């Protein structure tokens, strides 16, 4: 997403200016603004709100809601779809305002909550129907009254089309120019009939279909290998992320005599003196360890294949002059298939077997034989079974039925909401059936020590018939809610009418997971846990607005929330305890002249940990992303050499709710119609923030984090090794601070109008205490921190648009500053020595986009554009987290490269 990271925000103020001048020419109507329950005329209030109109959205070239939101300079710290390769995220994409975190950013659809994905509060942006979006309102300040005190970072409200008459058809095709891998397309149609104002009703139906093709790592030179030679500072290095699970297999031998170290070697390497194709002699080899290592990246996708169908239906019916009924129904089906390297398949070798005699015994020393053999295991990768293909189907359903009522000078809005996010994860390739694989191994129907391509035609047929196909788990999160909001004017003041709002809401969340496959079905598989958890939230709020003078307006809001303990039906008990708290927000607006405005706010927040953070039992969570030395010396529990270790995770029943204090101070100045500028200083402090110790942090100091290391027994071999336990903790405190800024200039020429907008986010603080402490502060400012992420000090975007009648041309410059990369162990080629904790200085990343819009007439509009005009490749990164990709960080730079796109729109 980094290539398009700054695509939107610079157009925001231009869109606002258009909206403001339009409003000055029209009859003034009271509207509800995101973040406030009081309807008002002046939308430029005391809180910083960014609005993306349909035209601004179209100019970005964004083809999905996820791309639209994640290109804002104010967005950092979100989840991207690329990590679906090798995780069970299903391609989930999130939003995170100011790098405060996705769980603190509230995402709404027409002002109402959607069901999150998982047991927390993070919403999957893939569920939002892009073709039905009329505008997006982003409140970059915590909203503690109307929506809930957990919106600590801010609110993103997708406002869908309303009262549309007529139809709209749009189609788009986008393709990378250097390699067509990764092309995408969509077709969308919407139709509305009935006029709510004159006929008393309106119905809108919208549908869209999206297709995204895969990009393999081998399709891009910068991502094609896990064995990565590179030059830095005039010296040659090698970064090795290859895996010890190989084809042909490596061997590990442990001995009864604890004084004799375990042996690890590749029989193929020992016999031939070199490793076969797709393998390298491991850079971590020693005299006792002679392994080959597999280049797993040659099988990895960096952009997964996916399809999306979304449907939106909206109906409005005016049953009386003062009563309007409405209903919103949204449905989306997101089908993603992620492919990663062939499965790892450790297996046991009996000492009296022919396999031991052929592949193990010849390479043992007399001293090792005399020590007595305790166990022998092969570390194999099932290359002949193909890549691990995981298909995740995510269905998002959302229904709202409500009413707008004007009665006794009150404007009342109430609604019932039912929303669900459900996933079905299926294995569709590469995973071996347990019974069949074990039988083939016992019968020696295949040889795990044979190189790639050596299996017979008979064996290949057996392999084909031993691949598992089917669902491994289904999970869903269901939200049921009811809310009531009412506002009215109270009495006249010098600056206008004082107003008040009252409201209450109730929400019930239920998280279910049902496993469909076990280790008896799939070789070396860990059964997904079953969940059936539920908790509810009750809240009430009041809000008061006082326009003291024409220039000064004060606002105050108070909210009370009560969150219940977690009811776990599987374990038959409650976890945690009921939590409640009152929060508030104070804000003010001062406008001494028509051209100058000052605003500010101060508020508090309150957020409960997710249900799994509290109540999750100990479950398998895959492998560490990086390779590590044994954390605690033990003759039986250590894996040989530097390798991956299993990860298990569990909840923490003692977690406390998080609390926050935040403020904003901002100004807007528009000295003329040709120039406008503004900035908002924001500051957010969180106490008892929920996080977890990272694997890098724990393995770097296993003595300090001894309680985070436990044992794990492999289902395939029965061997037990050390494992890293990831468990949420209240890490203490976080402190984020920064400035959102923008400048827009306009100039009218005889041949057209030129508009230039420059905006961005300048982060001043990204501080947090180390997990488990309250006063040991660290940060990730322009530095890959212990949270496995970077907070960028400067993200900016320059948008220049020239409108010349029917033709409009736009040039966009996207900028993200450089940073210090993650620490990694690399090999100095000249010295033939390992350099520990090596860190790259990753350069800044700047890309250029171009778009031309041709409006043939009122019915037909064509857009053509090029993203990443100069085909800038992602910069080299040695990070080993956030997906299986190697050589770049997919969170901060888009691997698609230069892309050409064409969009056509027809209205009727």
């Amino acid at each position: 997403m980094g290539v398009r990271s700054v695509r939107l925000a610079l157009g925001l103020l231009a869109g606002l200016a258009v909206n403001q001048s339009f409003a000055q020419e029209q009859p003034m109507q009271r509207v509800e603004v995101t973040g406030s329950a009081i309807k008002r005329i002046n939308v430029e209030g005391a809180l910083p709100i960014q609005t993306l109109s349909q035209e601004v959205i179209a100019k970005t070239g964004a083809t999905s809601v996820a791309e639209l939101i994640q290109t804002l300079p104010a967005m950092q710290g979100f989840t991207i779809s690329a990590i679906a390769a090798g995780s069970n995220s299903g391609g989930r994409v999130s939003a995170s305002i100011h790098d405060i975190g996705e769980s603190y950013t509230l995402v709404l659809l027409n002002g109402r909550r959607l069901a999150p994905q998982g047991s927390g509060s993070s919403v999957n942006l893939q569920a939002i129907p892009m073709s039905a979006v009329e505008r997006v309102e982003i409140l970059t300040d915590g909203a503690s009254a109307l929506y809930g005190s957990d919106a600590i970072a801010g609110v993103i409200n997708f406002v869908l089309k309303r009262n549309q008459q007529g139809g709209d058809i749009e189609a788009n095709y986008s393709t990378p120019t250097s390699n067509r891998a990764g092309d995408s397309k969509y077709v969308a149609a919407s139709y509305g009939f009935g006029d709510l104002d004159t006929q008393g009703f309106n119905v809108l139906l919208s549908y869209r279909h999206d297709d995204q093709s895969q990009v393999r790592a081998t399709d891009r030179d910068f991502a094609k290998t896990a064995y990565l030679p590179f030059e830095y500072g005039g010296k040659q290095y090698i970064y090795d992320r290859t895996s010890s699970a190989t084809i042909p297999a490596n061997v590990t031998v442990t001995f009864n005599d604890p004084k004799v170290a375990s042996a690890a070697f590749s029989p193929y390497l020992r016999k031939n003196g070199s490793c076969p194709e797709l393998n390298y002699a491991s850079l971590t080899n020693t005299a006792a360890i002679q392994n080959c290592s597999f280049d797993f990246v040659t099988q990895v996708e960096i952009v997964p294949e996916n399809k999306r169908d979304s449907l939106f239906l909206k109906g409005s019916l005016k049953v009386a002059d003062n009563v309007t009924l409405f209903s919103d129904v949204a449905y989306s089906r997101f089908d993603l298939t992620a492919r990663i390297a062939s499965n790892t398949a450790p297996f046991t070798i009996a000492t009296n077997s022919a396999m031991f005699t052929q592949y193990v015994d010849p390479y043992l020393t007399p001293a090792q034989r005399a020590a007595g053999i305790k166990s022998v295991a092969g570390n194999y990768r099932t290359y002949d079974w193909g890549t691990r293909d995981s298909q995740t189907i995510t269905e998002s359903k959302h229904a709202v039925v409500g009413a707008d009522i004007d009665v006794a000078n009150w404007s009342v809005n109430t609604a019932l909401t039912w929303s669900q996010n459900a996933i079905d994860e299926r294995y569709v390739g590469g995973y071996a059936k347990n019974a069949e694989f074990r039988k083939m191994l016992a019968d020696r129907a295949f040889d795990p020590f044979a190189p790639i391509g050596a299996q017979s035609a008979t064996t290949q047929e057996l392999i084909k018939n031993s691949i598992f196909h089917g669902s491994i788990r289904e999970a869903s999160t269901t939200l049921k809610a009811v809310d009531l909001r009412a506002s009215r004017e109270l009495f006249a003041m010098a600056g206008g009418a004082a107003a008040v709002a009252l409201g209450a809401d109730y929400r019930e969340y239920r998280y279910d997971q049902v496993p469909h496959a076990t280790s008896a079905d799939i070789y070396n598989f860990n059964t997904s846990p079953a969940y059936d958890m539920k908790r509810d939230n009750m809240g009430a709020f009041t809000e008061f607005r006082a326009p003291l003078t024409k220039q000064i307006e004060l606002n105050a809001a108070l909210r009370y929330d009560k969150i219940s303990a977690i009811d776990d039906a599987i374990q038959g008990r409650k976890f945690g305890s009921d939590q409640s708290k009152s929060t508030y927000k104070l804000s003010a607006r001062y406008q001494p002249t028509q051209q100058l405005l000052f605003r500010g706010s101060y508020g508090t927040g309150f957020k409960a940990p997710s249900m799994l953070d509290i109540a999750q039992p100990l479950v398998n969570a895959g492998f560490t992303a990086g390779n590590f030395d044994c954390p605690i010396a033990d003759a039986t529990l250590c894996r040989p050499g530097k390798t991956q270790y299993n990860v298990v995770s569990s909840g923490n029943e003692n977690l406390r709710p998080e609390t926050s204090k935040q403020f904003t101070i901002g100004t807007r100045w528009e000295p003329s119609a040709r120039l406008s500028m503004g900035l908002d200083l924001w500051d957010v402090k969180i106490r008892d923030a929920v996080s977890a110790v990272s694997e890098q942090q724990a393995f770097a100091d296993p003595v300090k984090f001894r309680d985070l290391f436990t044992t794990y027994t492999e289902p395939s071999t029965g061997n037990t090794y050390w494992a890293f336990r990831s468990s949420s903790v209240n890490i203490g405190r976080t402190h984020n601070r920064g400035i959102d800024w923008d400048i827009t200039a306009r100039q009218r020429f005889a041949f057209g109008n030129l508009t230039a907008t420059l905006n961005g986010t300048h982060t001043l603080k990204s501080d947090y205490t180390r997990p488990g402490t309250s006063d040991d502060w660290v940060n990730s400012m322009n530095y890959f921190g212990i949270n496995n992420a970077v907070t960028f000090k400067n993200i900016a975007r320059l948008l220049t648009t020239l409108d010349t009648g029917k033709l409009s041309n736009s040039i966009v410059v996207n900028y993200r500053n450089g940073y210090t990369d993650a620490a990694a162990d690399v090999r100095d080629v000249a010295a033939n020595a390992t350099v520990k904790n090596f860190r790259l200085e990753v350069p800044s990343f700047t890309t250029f986009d171009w778009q031309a819009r041709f409006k043939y007439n009122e019915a037909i509009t064509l857009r053509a554009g090029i993203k990443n005009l100069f085909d800038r490749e992602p910069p080299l990164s040695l990070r080993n987290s956030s997906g299986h990709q190697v050589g770049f960080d997919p969170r901060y730079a888009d691997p698609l490269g230069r892309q050409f796109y064409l969009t056509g729109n027809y209205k009727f």
Side-chain angles (χ1 to χ4, degrees), residues 247 294 299 339-344 380-389 428-432 460 463-464 466-467:
I247 176 172
F294 179 72
Q299 294 186 292
R339 299 170 179 89
I340 59 173
S342 302
N343 204 10
T344 57
Y380 178 59
R381 190 173 291 272
T382 57
Y383 187 89
D384 293 295
W385 276 255
T387 56
R388 280 173 282 180
D389 302 346
V428 293
Y431 291 89
Q460 291 174 11
I463 289 173
K464 180 180 177 181
S466 70
I467 298 176

Side-chain angles (χ1 to χ4, degrees), residues 50 107 235 282 348 399 411 415 433 442 460 512 575 622 631 672 680 682 717-718 731 733 750 799 837 888 894:
Q50 301 174 350
V107 176
K235 300 180 67 175
S282 175
T348 300
S411 294
K433 296 177 182 177
Q460 291 174 11
D512 292 282
F575 284 82
S672 71
D680 289 282
W682 47 268
T717 65
I731 67 169
R733 293 181 287 170
L799 167 64
N837 296 318
F888 72 106
D894 189 343

Side-chain angles (χ1 to χ4, degrees), residues 499-523:
V500 67
L502 303 170
D505 52 62
Y506 170 82
R507 301 189 300 273
E508 177 191 273
Y509 292 93
R510 181 171 182 174
Y511 179 58
D512 292 282
Q513 179 165 285
V514 179
H516 294 310
T518 69
S519 56
D521 301 309
I522 305 170
Y523 188 78

Side-chain angles (χ1 to χ4, degrees), residues 141-142 144 583-586 601-605 660-664:
D141 182 37
S144 62
T583 54
Y584 64 89
K585 177 177 285 293
L586 304 173
S601 70
Y602 181 86
T604 59
S660 70
K661 294 180 179 179
Q662 57 249 20
F663 69 82
T664 62

Side-chain angles (χ1 to χ4, degrees), residues 300-548:
V300 167
E301 287 180 339
I302 56 177
V303 175
E305 171 191 358
N306 63 77
K307 298 179 181 180
R308 182 194 297 106
D309 289 278
S310 56
L311 181 70
F312 174 69
L313 175 65
K314 180 179 180 62
S316 301
L317 177 64
K318 187 174 288 188
V319 296
D321 289 341
N322 63 335
V323 179
T324 300
L325 304 180
F326 62 87
S327 177
D328 298 339
V329 178
Y331 171 81
S332 71
R333 185 181 191 272
F334 185 66
D335 185 343
L336 179 141
T337 301
R339 299 170 179 89
I340 59 173
S342 302
N343 204 10
T344 57
F347 61 96
T348 300
I349 303 174
T351 55
N352 59 355
S353 67
M355 191 179 292
F356 176 84
T357 301
Q358 181 178 356
Y359 294 113
V360 181
D361 188 62
Y363 308 110
L364 297 178
T365 66
Q368 289 171 330
R369 294 189 185 95
I373 295 173
K374 183 176 182 180
S375 67
V376 184
N379 200 3
Y380 178 59
R381 190 173 291 272
T382 57
Y383 187 89
D384 293 295
W385 276 255
T387 56
R388 280 173 282 180
D389 302 346
S390 176
Q391 179 190 27
T392 304
I393 297 174
T394 304
E395 288 190 311
S396 300
K397 307 166 189 175
H398 181 77
V400 177
V401 178
D404 285 310
I405 305 169
D406 291 322
V407 55
N409 295 322
W410 285 90
S411 294
V412 181
N413 178 278
T414 183
L416 297 171
T417 301
W418 183 91
S419 187
Q420 184 182 75
N421 183 281
I423 65 173
D424 181 1
E425 185 176 3
R426 307 171 181 177
Y427 284 172
V428 293
Y431 291 89
K433 296 177 182 177
N434 181 60
E436 286 81 347
F437 186 85
R438 289 183 183 275
K439 185 176 188 304
M440 291 173 65
L441 193 62
D443 295 344
R444 298 204 69 181
F446 78 96
D447 186 357
F449 294 100
I452 293 171
Q455 308 296 350
S456 67
T458 302
T459 298
Q460 291 174 11
E461 187 66 22
L462 289 173
I463 289 173
K464 180 180 177 181
N465 295 328
S466 70
I467 298 176
F468 177 88
H469 289 85
S471 175
I472 64 163
R473 69 180 182 108
E474 290 183 275
S476 66
T477 306
T478 304
L479 165 65
K480 299 176 184 178
V482 58
D483 63 76
L484 175 67
R485 312 164 184 172
S487 68
R488 64 162 294 172
E489 295 180 348
L490 292 177
F491 48 83
M493 299 187 72
V500 67
L502 303 170
D505 52 62
Y506 170 82
R507 301 189 300 273
E508 177 191 273
Y509 292 93
R510 181 171 182 174
Y511 179 58
D512 292 282
Q513 179 165 285
V514 179
H516 294 310
T518 69
S519 56
D521 301 309
I522 305 170
Y523 188 78
N524 200 38
F525 177 75
N526 292 277
T527 305
S528 301
Y531 298 126
D532 186 353
M533 300 177 179
K534 183 174 66 175
R535 74 175 173 195
D536 55 44
N537 185 115
M538 293 178 288
F541 72 89
T542 183
E543 183 180 354
F544 179 71
R545 187 186 76 212
L548 302 182

Side-chain angles (χ1 to χ4, degrees), residues 697-708:
Q697 188 180 357
F699 277 90
D701 195 347
V703 175
K704 178 179 180 179
F705 297 106
R706 175 63 184 85
D707 60 333
L708 295 184

Side-chain angles (χ1 to χ4, degrees), residues 48 92 110 310 320 372 388 414 451 606 613 667 763 780-781 848 885:
R92 179 176 67 87
N110 273 352
S310 56
R388 280 173 282 180
T414 183
F606 166 71
D613 279 340
T667 182
T763 305
S780 301
M781 182 73 72
F848 294 78
Q885 301 89 349

